[in-house]
Amino acid sequence: ADIAAGRVVRLSPHVLRVTAPNPGPMTGPGTNSYLVGAGTGWTCIDPGPANDAHVQALVEAAAAQAPGARIERILVTHTHRDHSPGALPLARATGAPVLGRRAAHPEWQDDSFAPAHEPQHGDRIAVAAGATLRVIHTPGHASNHLCYLLEEERTLFTGDHVMHGSTVVINPPDGDMGAYLRALEALLQEDLEWLAPGHGYLVAEPHAVLRGLIAHRLRREAKVVAALRAQPAPATAKALVPAVYDDVPAALHGMAERSLLAHLLKLQEDGRAASGEDRHWRWLG
């Protein structure tokens, strides 16, 4: 079935999905908000954009589950503007506290975000009987990115760390390719059955998907290395894009340049590339 904004989809006894009406090139069919809980107590993961209709849909979805049911807390995976701005109006509508981390860099972030608490890696949140969320810090796409693991169902709410059907942009300075790859590797140690992404459908075979993402990024890194070696002189990230992203439509090269810069910064961190103040990159070997 197609994903439709505002439709309440039951994914398991403890999980509902409601998709926001913000489809687009970077958001796919829209941002997924998840309600996790049972009976009268529900937790919202990623309230999405500050859209009145979507906020109302979340309130009504929780209320429909049992007499007196309500949203008791709001969790945010990260503070990009398609994931967290809905936290403020949803908190006003429900009285629920907002939990999430502030980003290390303010650029492209939701400046309305003001959490009541900043969860730490490994924290456990009992959201209902038989439903416990464990906080996993997964920096890379964003410095403050958190995933939430519903331990009893082995379902990982991935925000933008893992998306359905596509890769994510790693946009420095808040995005960090090295951190992203390390966070993907760490998730391979978790017992997972499903990934519940911020955009798109549930994803099966999580470990195969994670390994595929790691392999994809390392193949792209190899193309960056090859492009650097082929340059007769140091080159800008923009000049390297056509060679490194020759499999990506030119219309997307602007965003691809941001991820390419993230690859270059990782190579610099690894001691394999360097640039001067003019941001021209050279291979060190």
Side-chain angles (χ1 to χ4, degrees):
D2 290 337
I3 290 178
R7 179 188 297 162
V8 181
V9 179
R10 181 171 291 279
L11 302 177
S12 82
H14 291 108
V15 181
L16 309 172
R17 183 185 68 212
V18 185
T19 302
N22 63 332
M26 303 302 294
T27 58
T31 302
N32 290 329
S33 298
Y34 295 97
L35 295 177
V36 184
T40 60
W42 293 84
T43 292
C44 178
I45 298 177
D46 276 355
N51 177 278
D52 290 344
H54 184 57
V55 169
Q56 187 61 29
L58 292 170
V59 171
E60 291 177 358
Q65 301 312 305
R70 57 186 293 271
I71 293 173
E72 295 181 333
R73 66 183 61 78
I74 301 162
L75 305 181
V76 167
T77 60
H78 64 299
T79 52
H80 288 168
R81 293 169 185 165
D82 55 329
H83 284 260
S84 65
L88 182 58
L90 185 59
R92 287 172 174 165
T94 62
V98 176
L99 287 73
R101 288 191 176 189
R102 295 174 175 88
H105 302 90
E107 193 173 18
W108 298 296
Q109 304 293 336
D110 166 22
D111 57 13
S112 73
F113 186 68
H117 176 67
E118 297 195 40
Q120 300 302 304
H121 179 79
D123 285 356
R124 283 181 165 84
I125 305 168
V127 300
T132 307
L133 292 171
R134 174 156 52 90
V135 179
I136 302 176
H137 184 211
T138 51
H141 177 65
S143 60
N144 59 345
H145 200 290
L146 302 173
C147 291
Y148 300 96
L149 176 60
L150 180 55
E151 293 183 318
E152 292 85 351
E153 297 185 5
R154 295 184 292 156
T155 296
L156 185 71
F157 299 93
T158 64
D160 280 353
H161 190 63
V162 180
M163 294 175 64
H164 171 254
S166 67
T167 57
V168 300
V169 174
I170 309 298
N171 189 5
D174 202 56
D176 184 312
M177 189 64 72
Y180 180 67
L181 286 166
R182 290 189 292 272
L184 288 173
E185 290 277 2
L187 287 179
L188 289 172
Q189 308 306 311
E190 299 289 347
D191 183 14
L192 304 174
E193 184 171 2
W194 294 100
L195 304 177
H199 307 279
Y201 297 95
L202 281 176
V203 178
E205 300 183 355
H207 290 91
V209 171
L210 293 169
R211 291 189 187 97
L213 286 172
I214 293 167
H216 170 78
R217 295 292 182 172
L218 293 179
R219 286 194 299 270
R220 189 71 70 186
E221 180 179 294
K223 293 184 74 170
V224 176
V225 170
L228 280 174
R229 284 175 162 170
Q231 290 291 327
T236 63
K238 184 175 182 178
L240 294 168
V241 168
V244 176
Y245 287 90
D246 56 352
D247 56 338
V248 172
L252 300 178
H253 280 188
M255 290 308 299
E257 183 183 341
R258 302 306 301 171
S259 284
L260 192 152
L261 176 59
H263 277 292
L264 289 167
L265 290 169
K266 177 186 178 294
L267 289 170
Q268 179 175 265
E269 179 185 330
D270 295 342
R272 302 169 67 198
S275 75
E277 291 184 3
D278 60 358
R279 305 308 285 173
H280 281 63
W281 292 87
R282 67 184 187 278
W283 176 245
L284 295 179

